[in-house]
Amino acid sequence: MDIYTDVLIVGCGVSGMYAALNINNNCKVVILSKSKTDECNTYLAQGGISRAKDKDDIDLFIQDTMKAGKDKNKEEAVRVLAEESIENINRLIGLGMDFDYKDGELDYTREGAHSINRIVHSTDETGKRVFETLFKQVKNRDNITIYEDTTLVDLLKFKGACCGGIVKRNNGVDFIHAKYTILASGGIGGLFLNSTNRRTMTGDGIAIALKNNIDVTNLGYIQFHPTALYENSSEERKFLISESLRGEGAKLFNINKQRFVNELLPRDIVAESIWDEERKTDSSFVYLDASFMDSEFIINRFPGIYKECKKRGIDVTNEPIPVTPVQHYFMGGIKVDLNSSTSMDNLYACGEVSCTGVHGANRLASNSLLEGLVFSRRAALDINKNINSKDIIPLKHNIKLKEAEEIIDSNLNSVLSEFKKVLGEKEHELINN
Ligand SMILES: Cc1cc2nc3c(=O)[nH]c(=O)nc-3n(C[C@H](O)[C@H](O)[C@H](O)COP(=O)(O)OP(=O)(O)OC[C@H]3O[C@@H](n4cnc5c(N)ncnc54)[C@H](O)[C@@H]3O)c2cc1C
């Protein structure tokens, strides 16, 4: 089937939906979700979203982001992130997001490597609320259609420019012809044996970019979160114990009950020292202890963590949580400029699949949802400038289901082999396909 739309957006997380909401509402937008709409990493986000507290905090926020990123960040992108953070959080509130408040003010929490408390949150289920807020708005917009259980197989191209996508849907193949396409297809955690990500996040956008010679960058910048719940037996995604629990005072101990690191250092440093400690003590985990904190505070402020741990037989208010580092986030990705434009004409990328350069070599906690908001809006505003003067190019294609499925398999194999090269001796961290 041939489908015609002004904008095709691949991904139904924070970046895809916020981009869609910022496209002129007289334009038709189609959003794809590979599985059910809420099965994105956005839904899982716990800790919160960082924002400059006020104009005076912008420079310090930039410094913190650059320091965590080991100064490998693109400074002008970090400046955009910090300067546009206040406006975008306000927009999100305007769309209906209910952050936590204290004494009538937004309740700012702290996470590793932030000099001050500047993270807004909704208990420890910020991502779920962000998803629900944006989803409700998207559903209310007549110009936006979502296709669930629809997988982008490849891009449609004409004279080197993107003109839509080939998708697998309803056990058939559709051709979605679009003036502009935005890849908002998320991260790569599903390629790893141990990750906090949805298993479906298999770097499809990166595979498709590699195949089409679209510039990608910093593929080696992969973040391991220091504190995922340690579960030996599970092959499912690993449950995250948010950094904000450490931000609120929880402490790390080795299995001999000794402290070994400042919990609020950047993620890469804390993860390295946990691995070190595990080696020294011949253990597969260390402990994160919040049991000395006020029980009521934990239950109210971290209901998600409390419930998930309880389900697994751990009472966080009474005992330490076994934790270990696992893959969590991808700082590299499809290379984009400050308007999220890729090296292919008519193609944008935003969110975790893209590399704006804001995170450098190590993402500062809670900067990901913010990057998704700031840079997806920039993509949409850039698209809005020219969309009315552009035409859809209705190319004819004929790809059968079997062929589409073969392309999906080959996308997975190619992205896996690319990350094998990047990971070198750590390639055993990846899934076997
Ligand atoms: C457990 C956890 C906790 C986190 N906590 C925080 C936090 O507190 N603060 C913070 O800032 N960040 C946090 N992050 C990171 C953050 O949630 C993600 O980086 C961010 O949500 C990514 O948003 P996105 O829009 O790029 O992609 P996602 O939300 O992951 O969405 C990707 C979308 O792309 C679709 N897709 C993928 N491939 C295809 C394909 N081939 N065809 C069609 N559709 C496709 C998926 O179906 C999905 O809809 C956390 C991440 C995890 C996993």
Side-chain angles (χ1 to χ4, degrees), residues 10-16 32-37 39-49 111 126 150-153 184-187 196-198 200-201 204-205 208 237 240 242 328-329 350-353 363 365-370:
V10 184
C12 195
V14 60
S15 326
L32 310 182
S33 170
K34 188 176 176 182
S35 50
K36 298 296 168 219
T37 47
E39 285 169 9
C40 53
N41 277 348
T42 296
Y43 197 91
L44 302 176
Q46 297 180 350
I49 315 181
E111 294 187 293
T126 309
T150 302
T151 302
L152 180 77
V153 176
S185 52
T196 57
N197 292 193
R198 299 273 186 204
T200 44
M201 293 300 134
D204 302 9
I208 288 168
R237 73 175 192 87
L240 180 76
S242 169
H328 180 61
Y329 185 78
C350 49
E352 197 168 334
V353 72
R363 170 169 72 91
S366 287
N367 266 357
S368 169
L369 293 172
L370 180 62

Side-chain angles (χ1 to χ4, degrees), residues 3 32 126 142-143 160-161 192 194 207 277 310 328 341 400 415:
I3 296 163
L32 310 182
T126 309
D142 292 340
N143 65 318
F192 286 75
N194 294 306
E277 211 57 31
K310 200 79 198 261
H328 180 61
S341 191
K400 299 275 177 284
V415 77

